[in-house]
Amino acid sequence: MSFTYRRLDKNDAAVLLVDHQSGLCNLVGDFSPDEFKNNVLALAASAKYFQLPTILTTSFEDGPNGPLVPELKEMFPDAPYIARPGQINAWDNADFVTAVKATGKKQLIIAGVVTEVCVAFPALSALEAGYEVFVVTDASGTFNPTTRETAWLRMQAAGAQMMTWFAVACELHRDWRNDVEGLGQLFATHLPKYRNLITSYNAKS
C-alpha cells in the first residue's frame, strides 16, 4: 500500500483552539489539571513561536461552559475570537468558518475540550471541507481514556492525524539549525526534563 507522509508546513498551517473554557476544563479527567494546562499553553506558545494564524473560539460562554482560559486571550490579543452563542460544532458557526478560510491555510492544527465533541466535530467537518487536520491529543481533554480513544479512532478513520504538541513543534521546525536557542527555550519552559537538557547544553557552550 502506498503512503504519502503529509507533514506539517509552517507556511500552510493554522491553529484552532476550541472551547478551552474554565467550566469545560473541569471535565477533563484524562490528564491532571496541571499537566493539561501546561500542554495547552505549550501548544499556544508553539503557535506564537512559529507565527501561525490562531483562532480562538468558545461555546455558550454565559452558561456553565464558562469563559475562555485567560492565558490564551492574553497570548493572542489580536487573534480572531469567536464566542459562539450556542453551536456545539464550531464549524456550524459561520463566523468561525469565515475566520478559518481567511487564514488561507489548508492545514488545521486543532485542540480543545472536550475531545469527542468540541474537537471531533469541527475536525470531521474540516476534513469533509477538504482541509488536512492534525489533532493535538495532549492539548485536548475529556472525561476519561475510553471517551478519548473513541474520539481518536473516529477522527483517524476519517483521515485526521493524531499528534502531541511536542511532535507538532518538531515537525514544524524541521531542523535544529534553524534556531537552537528559540526552540530549546520553548521546550525548556514546558518540559522540566528538557530544561535540564538545555541547562547542560548551555553550560558547554
Side-chain angles (χ1 to χ4, degrees):
M1 183 178 69
S2 63
F3 171 75
T4 300
Y5 176 16
R6 302 193 333 269
R7 67 178 72 186
L8 281 167
D9 179 352
K10 65 182 181 181
N11 297 312
D12 197 26
V15 175
L16 312 182
L17 299 177
V18 184
D19 301 354
H20 290 99
Q21 296 166 249
S22 60
L24 289 175
C25 283
N26 288 319
L27 301 177
V28 175
D30 51 339
F31 296 98
S32 71
D34 288 344
E35 181 183 16
F36 183 64
K37 188 171 186 178
N38 176 69
N39 292 342
V40 173
L41 296 181
L43 174 61
S46 299
K48 284 186 69 70
Y49 175 74
F50 291 105
Q51 301 180 339
L52 305 182
T54 300
I55 297 171
L56 309 174
T57 186
T58 58
S59 174
F60 200 43
E61 278 190 19
D62 296 334
N65 293 349
L68 183 73
V69 172
E71 289 91 340
L72 294 179
K73 187 61 176 172
E74 292 167 6
M75 289 180 74
F76 302 101
D78 301 318
Y81 180 78
I82 314 299
R84 309 190 312 280
Q87 296 97 341
I88 294 174
N89 182 349
W91 210 264
D92 289 341
N93 182 281
D95 292 336
F96 179 77
V97 175
T98 296
V100 172
K101 290 180 178 178
T103 68
K105 311 301 183 183
K106 294 300 291 181
Q107 296 184 330
L108 303 181
I109 301 168
I110 305 179
V113 182
V114 294
T115 308
E116 70 270 27
V117 175
C118 307
V119 178
F121 292 178
L124 295 170
S125 297
L127 286 163
E128 184 180 39
Y131 290 88
E132 289 184 55
V133 172
F134 302 78
V135 173
V136 188
T137 56
D138 55 354
S140 303
T142 186
F143 305 106
N144 54 57
T146 299
T147 53
R148 174 179 69 190
E149 288 160 19
T150 301
W152 289 354
L153 288 170
R154 187 182 189 196
M155 290 185 282
Q156 276 185 306
Q161 293 194 44
M162 304 294 113
M163 299 183 71
T164 63
W165 75 261
F166 184 77
V168 166
C170 288
E171 192 158 273
L172 289 167
H173 201 62
R174 300 287 176 88
D175 191 320
W176 268 111
R177 292 167 295 182
N178 290 330
D179 180 14
V180 175
E181 289 74 18
L183 189 68
Q185 183 56 51
L186 186 146
F187 290 165
T189 299
H190 295 281
L191 295 169
K193 292 180 180 179
Y194 218 96
R195 187 178 303 123
N196 294 336
L197 186 153
I198 293 298
T199 299
S200 175
Y201 168 77
N202 288 336
K204 295 176 181 178
S205 299

